[in-house]
PDB file of all heavy atoms in Angstrom:
ATOM      1  N   ASP A 277      62.763  38.045 -36.560  1.00  0.00           N
ATOM      2  CA  ASP A 277      62.570  38.494 -35.178  1.00  0.00           C
ATOM      3  C   ASP A 277      63.488  37.682 -34.260  1.00  0.00           C
ATOM      4  O   ASP A 277      63.063  37.185 -33.219  1.00  0.00           O
ATOM      5  CB  ASP A 277      61.094  38.355 -34.770  1.00  0.00           C
ATOM      6  CG  ASP A 277      60.811  38.986 -33.404  1.00  0.00           C
ATOM      7  OD1 ASP A 277      61.599  39.856 -32.970  1.00  0.00           O
ATOM      8  OD2 ASP A 277      59.813  38.598 -32.773  1.00  0.00           O
ATOM      9  N   TYR A 280      62.297  34.322 -32.969  1.00  0.00           N
ATOM     10  CA  TYR A 280      60.916  34.223 -32.493  1.00  0.00           C
ATOM     11  C   TYR A 280      59.968  34.036 -33.689  1.00  0.00           C
ATOM     12  O   TYR A 280      58.756  34.191 -33.587  1.00  0.00           O
ATOM     13  CB  TYR A 280      60.536  35.434 -31.628  1.00  0.00           C
ATOM     14  CG  TYR A 280      61.143  35.306 -30.248  1.00  0.00           C
ATOM     15  CD1 TYR A 280      62.403  35.838 -29.963  1.00  0.00           C
ATOM     16  CD2 TYR A 280      60.494  34.597 -29.244  1.00  0.00           C
ATOM     17  CE1 TYR A 280      62.981  35.674 -28.710  1.00  0.00           C
ATOM     18  CE2 TYR A 280      61.071  34.433 -27.990  1.00  0.00           C
ATOM     19  CZ  TYR A 280      62.309  34.971 -27.724  1.00  0.00           C
ATOM     20  OH  TYR A 280      62.885  34.797 -26.490  1.00  0.00           O
ATOM     21  N   HIS A 320      52.608  31.801 -33.005  1.00  0.00           N
ATOM     22  CA  HIS A 320      52.793  32.080 -34.427  1.00  0.00           C
ATOM     23  C   HIS A 320      53.979  31.269 -34.929  1.00  0.00           C
ATOM     24  O   HIS A 320      54.765  30.756 -34.124  1.00  0.00           O
ATOM     25  CB  HIS A 320      53.053  33.574 -34.651  1.00  0.00           C
ATOM     26  CG  HIS A 320      54.032  34.164 -33.672  1.00  0.00           C
ATOM     27  ND1 HIS A 320      53.637  34.695 -32.460  1.00  0.00           N
ATOM     28  CD2 HIS A 320      55.383  34.263 -33.690  1.00  0.00           C
ATOM     29  CE1 HIS A 320      54.698  35.117 -31.800  1.00  0.00           C
ATOM     30  NE2 HIS A 320      55.779  34.856 -32.510  1.00  0.00           N
ATOM     31  N   PHE A 366      54.099  45.377 -33.484  1.00  0.00           N
ATOM     32  CA  PHE A 366      55.310  46.025 -33.991  1.00  0.00           C
ATOM     33  C   PHE A 366      55.019  47.177 -34.962  1.00  0.00           C
ATOM     34  O   PHE A 366      55.891  47.639 -35.679  1.00  0.00           O
ATOM     35  CB  PHE A 366      56.206  44.993 -34.694  1.00  0.00           C
ATOM     36  CG  PHE A 366      56.843  44.007 -33.750  1.00  0.00           C
ATOM     37  CD1 PHE A 366      57.194  42.734 -34.185  1.00  0.00           C
ATOM     38  CD2 PHE A 366      57.115  44.343 -32.439  1.00  0.00           C
ATOM     39  CE1 PHE A 366      57.794  41.813 -33.323  1.00  0.00           C
ATOM     40  CE2 PHE A 366      57.711  43.435 -31.568  1.00  0.00           C
ATOM     41  CZ  PHE A 366      58.050  42.161 -32.009  1.00  0.00           C
ATOM     42  N   PHE A 385      52.505  40.170 -34.741  1.00  0.00           N
ATOM     43  CA  PHE A 385      53.853  40.755 -34.638  1.00  0.00           C
ATOM     44  C   PHE A 385      54.287  41.181 -36.043  1.00  0.00           C
ATOM     45  O   PHE A 385      53.591  41.971 -36.666  1.00  0.00           O
ATOM     46  CB  PHE A 385      54.802  39.763 -33.944  1.00  0.00           C
ATOM     47  CG  PHE A 385      54.414  39.521 -32.500  1.00  0.00           C
ATOM     48  CD1 PHE A 385      53.609  38.450 -32.133  1.00  0.00           C
ATOM     49  CD2 PHE A 385      54.814  40.398 -31.501  1.00  0.00           C
ATOM     50  CE1 PHE A 385      53.213  38.256 -30.807  1.00  0.00           C
ATOM     51  CE2 PHE A 385      54.427  40.220 -30.177  1.00  0.00           C
ATOM     52  CZ  PHE A 385      53.624  39.138 -29.835  1.00  0.00           C
ATOM     53  N   ARG A 419      59.693  28.097 -21.611  1.00  0.00           N
ATOM     54  CA  ARG A 419      59.186  29.450 -21.455  1.00  0.00           C
ATOM     55  C   ARG A 419      58.247  29.620 -22.655  1.00  0.00           C
ATOM     56  O   ARG A 419      58.645  29.429 -23.802  1.00  0.00           O
ATOM     57  CB  ARG A 419      60.360  30.432 -21.507  1.00  0.00           C
ATOM     58  CG  ARG A 419      59.969  31.903 -21.462  1.00  0.00           C
ATOM     59  CD  ARG A 419      59.961  32.500 -22.842  1.00  0.00           C
ATOM     60  NE  ARG A 419      59.714  33.943 -22.792  1.00  0.00           N
ATOM     61  CZ  ARG A 419      59.457  34.664 -23.880  1.00  0.00           C
ATOM     62  NH1 ARG A 419      59.430  34.110 -25.060  1.00  0.00           N
ATOM     63  NH2 ARG A 419      59.233  35.954 -23.772  1.00  0.00           N
ATOM     64  N   ASP A 421      56.173  31.602 -25.133  1.00  0.00           N
ATOM     65  CA  ASP A 421      56.135  32.947 -25.696  1.00  0.00           C
ATOM     66  C   ASP A 421      54.704  33.394 -25.973  1.00  0.00           C
ATOM     67  O   ASP A 421      53.883  32.621 -26.477  1.00  0.00           O
ATOM     68  CB  ASP A 421      56.926  32.935 -27.009  1.00  0.00           C
ATOM     69  CG  ASP A 421      57.093  34.314 -27.618  1.00  0.00           C
ATOM     70  OD1 ASP A 421      57.934  35.076 -27.114  1.00  0.00           O
ATOM     71  OD2 ASP A 421      56.383  34.629 -28.587  1.00  0.00           O
ATOM     72  N   SER A 422      54.421  34.654 -25.675  1.00  0.00           N
ATOM     73  CA  SER A 422      53.113  35.254 -26.007  1.00  0.00           C
ATOM     74  C   SER A 422      51.975  34.304 -25.646  1.00  0.00           C
ATOM     75  O   SER A 422      50.999  34.174 -26.391  1.00  0.00           O
ATOM     76  CB  SER A 422      53.045  35.584 -27.504  1.00  0.00           C
ATOM     77  OG  SER A 422      54.145  36.364 -27.875  1.00  0.00           O
ATOM     78  N   GLU A 479      54.552  33.588 -20.789  1.00  0.00           N
ATOM     79  CA  GLU A 479      54.644  35.042 -20.919  1.00  0.00           C
ATOM     80  C   GLU A 479      53.226  35.602 -21.017  1.00  0.00           C
ATOM     81  O   GLU A 479      52.477  35.250 -21.917  1.00  0.00           O
ATOM     82  CB  GLU A 479      55.448  35.425 -22.164  1.00  0.00           C
ATOM     83  CG  GLU A 479      55.725  36.907 -22.224  1.00  0.00           C
ATOM     84  CD  GLU A 479      56.204  37.393 -23.586  1.00  0.00           C
ATOM     85  OE1 GLU A 479      55.983  36.703 -24.603  1.00  0.00           O
ATOM     86  OE2 GLU A 479      56.798  38.463 -23.638  1.00  0.00           O
ATOM     87  N   LYS A 518      55.260  52.254 -25.709  1.00  0.00           N
ATOM     88  CA  LYS A 518      56.464  51.909 -24.940  1.00  0.00           C
ATOM     89  C   LYS A 518      57.483  53.030 -24.883  1.00  0.00           C
ATOM     90  O   LYS A 518      58.047  53.331 -23.835  1.00  0.00           O
ATOM     91  CB  LYS A 518      57.079  50.660 -25.562  1.00  0.00           C
ATOM     92  CG  LYS A 518      58.442  50.280 -25.008  1.00  0.00           C
ATOM     93  CD  LYS A 518      58.959  48.996 -25.654  1.00  0.00           C
ATOM     94  CE  LYS A 518      60.364  48.683 -25.171  1.00  0.00           C
ATOM     95  NZ  LYS A 518      60.896  47.442 -25.722  1.00  0.00           N
ATOM     96  N   HIS A 554      65.214  39.988 -22.817  1.00  0.00           N
ATOM     97  CA  HIS A 554      65.724  40.455 -24.113  1.00  0.00           C
ATOM     98  C   HIS A 554      64.786  41.446 -24.795  1.00  0.00           C
ATOM     99  O   HIS A 554      65.005  41.796 -25.943  1.00  0.00           O
ATOM    100  CB  HIS A 554      65.915  39.234 -25.021  1.00  0.00           C
ATOM    101  CG  HIS A 554      64.603  38.549 -25.270  1.00  0.00           C
ATOM    102  ND1 HIS A 554      63.895  37.907 -24.269  1.00  0.00           N
ATOM    103  CD2 HIS A 554      63.835  38.462 -26.379  1.00  0.00           C
ATOM    104  CE1 HIS A 554      62.757  37.451 -24.758  1.00  0.00           C
ATOM    105  NE2 HIS A 554      62.694  37.765 -26.036  1.00  0.00           N
ATOM    106  N   ASP A 555      63.727  41.876 -24.126  1.00  0.00           N
ATOM    107  CA  ASP A 555      62.739  42.746 -24.754  1.00  0.00           C
ATOM    108  C   ASP A 555      62.780  44.186 -24.265  1.00  0.00           C
ATOM    109  O   ASP A 555      61.865  44.961 -24.552  1.00  0.00           O
ATOM    110  CB  ASP A 555      61.315  42.189 -24.532  1.00  0.00           C
ATOM    111  CG  ASP A 555      61.012  41.009 -25.448  1.00  0.00           C
ATOM    112  OD1 ASP A 555      61.687  40.867 -26.482  1.00  0.00           O
ATOM    113  OD2 ASP A 555      60.094  40.226 -25.114  1.00  0.00           O
ATOM    114  N   GLU A 615      61.686  46.499 -33.607  1.00  0.00           N
ATOM    115  CA  GLU A 615      60.682  47.219 -32.828  1.00  0.00           C
ATOM    116  C   GLU A 615      61.079  48.685 -32.660  1.00  0.00           C
ATOM    117  O   GLU A 615      60.318  49.591 -32.984  1.00  0.00           O
ATOM    118  CB  GLU A 615      60.509  46.573 -31.453  1.00  0.00           C
ATOM    119  CG  GLU A 615      59.395  47.215 -30.656  1.00  0.00           C
ATOM    120  CD  GLU A 615      59.568  47.040 -29.163  1.00  0.00           C
ATOM    121  OE1 GLU A 615      60.566  47.533 -28.613  1.00  0.00           O
ATOM    122  OE2 GLU A 615      58.693  46.418 -28.557  1.00  0.00           O
ATOM    123  N   ARG A 645      64.908  47.132 -27.193  1.00  0.00           N
ATOM    124  CA  ARG A 645      65.212  45.718 -26.973  1.00  0.00           C
ATOM    125  C   ARG A 645      66.696  45.412 -27.205  1.00  0.00           C
ATOM    126  O   ARG A 645      67.232  44.466 -26.637  1.00  0.00           O
ATOM    127  CB  ARG A 645      64.334  44.862 -27.888  1.00  0.00           C
ATOM    128  CG  ARG A 645      62.846  45.211 -27.762  1.00  0.00           C
ATOM    129  CD  ARG A 645      61.932  44.117 -28.185  1.00  0.00           C
ATOM    130  NE  ARG A 645      62.084  43.703 -29.559  1.00  0.00           N
ATOM    131  CZ  ARG A 645      61.373  42.706 -30.108  1.00  0.00           C
ATOM    132  NH1 ARG A 645      60.483  42.052 -29.376  1.00  0.00           N
ATOM    133  NH2 ARG A 645      61.544  42.371 -31.360  1.00  0.00           N
TER     134      ARG A 645
HETATM  135  O1  ISL B 931      58.900  43.453 -26.824  1.00  0.00           O
HETATM  136  C1  ISL B 931      57.934  43.883 -26.247  1.00  0.00           C
HETATM  137  C2  ISL B 931      57.940  45.228 -25.713  1.00  0.00           C
HETATM  138  O2  ISL B 931      59.031  45.886 -26.185  1.00  0.00           O
HETATM  139  C3  ISL B 931      56.738  43.086 -25.971  1.00  0.00           C
HETATM  140  O3  ISL B 931      55.563  43.739 -26.313  1.00  0.00           O
HETATM  141  C4  ISL B 931      56.825  41.773 -26.693  1.00  0.00           C
HETATM  142  O4  ISL B 931      56.586  41.949 -28.025  1.00  0.00           O
HETATM  143  C5  ISL B 931      55.830  40.818 -26.109  1.00  0.00           C
HETATM  144  O5  ISL B 931      56.116  40.730 -24.765  1.00  0.00           O
HETATM  145  C6  ISL B 931      55.974  39.449 -26.745  1.00  0.00           C
HETATM  146  O6  ISL B 931      57.319  39.071 -26.706  1.00  0.00           O
HETATM  147  C7  ISL B 931      57.719  37.840 -27.181  1.00  0.00           C
HETATM  148  O7  ISL B 931      57.182  37.554 -28.446  1.00  0.00           O
HETATM  149  C8  ISL B 931      57.628  38.367 -29.508  1.00  0.00           C
HETATM  150  C9  ISL B 931      59.147  38.502 -29.561  1.00  0.00           C
HETATM  151  O8  ISL B 931      59.508  39.493 -30.474  1.00  0.00           O
HETATM  152  C10 ISL B 931      59.720  38.827 -28.208  1.00  0.00           C
HETATM  153  O9  ISL B 931      61.115  38.851 -28.268  1.00  0.00           O
HETATM  154  C11 ISL B 931      59.219  37.784 -27.266  1.00  0.00           C
HETATM  155  O10 ISL B 931      59.775  37.903 -25.984  1.00  0.00           O
HETATM  156  C12 ISL B 931      57.123  37.724 -30.763  1.00  0.00           C
HETATM  157  O11 ISL B 931      57.460  36.367 -30.757  1.00  0.00           O
END
Side-chain angles (χ1 to χ4, degrees):
D277 188 22
Y280 283 91
H320 44 271
F366 290 153
F385 294 94
R419 176 261 186 191
D421 186 77
S422 307
E479 188 195 20
K518 172 178 176 178
H554 62 293
D555 283 339
E615 185 205 62
R645 308 203 300 178

